[in-house]
Amino acid sequence: VHGRTYSVASQSLAGPAALSAHQVFSPLTKERPVFRIQNRVAVIREPGDFYREILQGIQRARKRIVLSSLYIGSEEIELADQLARALERNPDLEVLVLLDCLRGTRIDGAGKSSALLLAPLVKKHANIHVALYHTPALSGLNKTAWPQRYNETFGLQHIKAYLFDDDVIISGANLSRDYFTNRQDRYMRFSDRSLADYFAGLVQSIARFSFQLVGKSASTHPLRDGDASSDMGLRLPSNTPDPARNPADFVRDANAAMAQFLQSAQVRHAVDPATLTEHDTLVIPTVQMRQLGITQDEAHMTEFFSLSDSFARRYGCRSMMASAYFNFSPIYKKLVLESSSRWDLLVASPEANGFHTAAGVSKYIPDMYSIIEHDFMRYSRKHYARNDIAIEEYARPGWTYHGKGVWCYLDRKLPQVTMVGSSNYGYRSIYCDLEAQVTLIPGNKDLQTDIHQEALYLLSHSKMVTETELKSRIRSAPLWLYALKPFISKKM
């Protein structure tokens, strides 16, 4: 694809064919919950298919619906209507929605928000609960000094998991119109009760220390500071410290809740690596909540790099990492540069960046990512002499790009491991936001082929860029933009 070969069989040395991914990556199954998946894993390609899966999941659900997202688009009337119909026809159905508090209460140009979209359902039905997580990093004077949208740079609830009875879709996509039409992401549906139980438990655990959307009363907070016009309000569960007023106590209690959940899941879903075979399809979920003292995914990723690098030094390896933005954290950049693997880094082109049509200073954000790309390529060449790291930019006319994840091929023609979830692998993903992803080790060639075709599909809409091209592109960038680089690197 685009001049790069996706077969490295000629580089393989004698012996690695005897090593399965289950053996190479068996340390990843220790001290983490691991799920053996018996049913087919569906790799979803297009935003429209993702939307249909969401609607059909709501229609099929009989016991539970759990939706965890950054926000729900205020224009998503059909989705809200489908939830209302599901609640009306099935009184036993329980619905839990987890959103970010700052993003979920942000008022758009039409005076609407995610919270206001869901308010009628909360008023009418007792068995729908809407939780809005608030970062403890936005407290004190910062809480009042920063306006909406900009205050979201302090930290967000970013986990994307959509659960319908025993089916769960893991994605990086939010629930809004562009993500259902022309904003490309990744999506995988797993049909497994134990895995669905895990994600339901994860979301429920976060909801227990999040604000609840309720009818306004003397004890509730307004949906927005200084706005008392709505008849809905926000209330913290009993005995939960306010993250904006008492962040230290909030972090203590939230950390205890999450540590208890993760420890329980680890014990309940532990596996003996000696019992695993190459025919087992394995799913390893990991979460990152550094503001709450939880660094599970960070440790998991570091170990993955170490294991793949050990293999690469002996046999050769190729991998691809994708993100919505070329803003990988310093630790992941360093691990890529020091790795013995060949790497493709897939990101949005300037035209496919969500800020491409923005107004004001935001319209220069795609230029900033191009500057960061150029700096990385130059540094890679000068300090590491790497010529086997390629940057691919997704450039599909009329589309934006938001996909993220990892594909690791080892020395094979088909991927042996993939990761999918909410993390963009940037500074924010490690230090600021709540994130979750799954590591999937496929146990059959059909699933490996589906994952490979997904990667090729994304690359078919992408173009490799060179250091020379990037240098030419950023030549016209305003000089003041370079001064914002440290801020954007940590906040976007």
Side-chain angles (χ1 to χ4, degrees), residues 114-341:
S114 304
L116 293 176
L117 174 73
L118 298 173
L121 299 181
V122 174
K123 291 178 188 176
K124 187 173 182 180
H125 301 280
N127 48 345
I128 178 172
H129 305 278
V130 178
L132 298 108
Y133 169 83
H134 191 293
T135 174
L138 186 68
S139 59
L141 291 176
N142 281 329
K143 176 69 174 173
T144 55
W146 288 82
Q148 71 169 15
R149 186 173 184 180
Y150 297 100
N151 59 10
E152 296 164 25
T153 62
F154 284 83
L156 296 167
Q157 191 305 108
H158 201 243
I159 296 170
K160 321 295 172 58
Y162 308 112
L163 191 153
F164 313 97
D165 288 340
D166 297 335
D167 290 346
V168 58
I169 298 172
I170 303 301
S171 180
N174 294 301
L175 300 176
S176 68
R177 189 51 29 192
D178 51 347
Y179 290 94
F180 298 151
T181 52
N182 63 346
R183 186 157 174 76
Q184 182 69 58
D185 214 299
R186 296 183 69 208
Y187 338 81
M188 288 192 186
R189 174 167 52 80
F190 302 89
S191 299
D192 183 88
R193 177 178 294 181
S194 293
L195 185 62
D197 287 346
Y198 170 88
F199 275 99
L202 172 64
V203 175
Q204 288 163 358
S205 295
I206 300 169
R208 291 191 184 103
F209 50 80
S210 298
F211 284 98
Q212 312 296 311
L213 182 64
V214 296
K216 185 170 69 174
S217 70
S219 63
T220 58
H221 298 258
L223 291 186
R224 283 200 309 148
D225 290 338
D227 180 9
S229 60
S230 174
D231 59 353
M232 301 296 290
L234 301 175
R235 177 188 295 137
L236 281 167
S238 178
N239 299 320
T240 300
D242 190 321
R245 297 176 181 174
N246 198 351
D249 287 349
F250 175 84
V251 169
R252 180 201 63 210
D253 289 3
N255 172 269
M258 291 311 309
Q260 180 180 10
F261 168 77
L262 293 172
Q263 178 63 27
S264 176
Q266 175 188 320
V267 171
R268 186 180 303 115
H269 301 291
V271 299
D272 179 356
T275 67
L276 300 176
T277 76
E278 62 184 282
H279 302 296
D280 288 319
T281 292
L282 304 179
V283 171
I284 308 166
T286 48
V287 300
Q288 182 74 9
M289 305 174 175
R290 185 177 265 268
Q291 289 185 350
L292 306 182
I294 303 296
T295 57
Q296 183 187 51
D297 188 65
E298 181 182 349
H300 179 84
M301 289 292 293
T302 302
E303 189 167 14
F304 162 78
F305 272 99
S306 176
L307 294 169
S308 61
D309 186 50
S310 294
F311 185 94
R313 285 198 300 271
R314 297 181 64 192
Y315 306 119
C317 180
R318 61 198 171 91
S319 298
M320 182 167 78
M321 177 179 277
S323 177
Y325 317 102
F326 197 99
N327 196 21
F328 298 105
S329 73
I331 185 173
Y332 293 150
K333 286 181 183 177
K334 185 173 186 286
L335 288 169
V336 167
L337 289 170
E338 295 181 351
S339 167
S340 299
S341 298

Side-chain angles (χ1 to χ4, degrees), residues 393-409:
E393 290 186 343
Y394 187 93
R396 187 176 180 181
W399 285 60
T400 58
Y401 181 74
H402 197 251
K404 61 273 292 180
V406 172
W407 295 255
C408 179
Y409 285 74

Side-chain angles (χ1 to χ4, degrees), residues 441-452:
I441 304 178
N444 61 78
K445 190 172 181 179
D446 286 345
L447 181 52
Q448 291 172 346
T449 300
D450 286 348
I451 296 166
H452 179 56

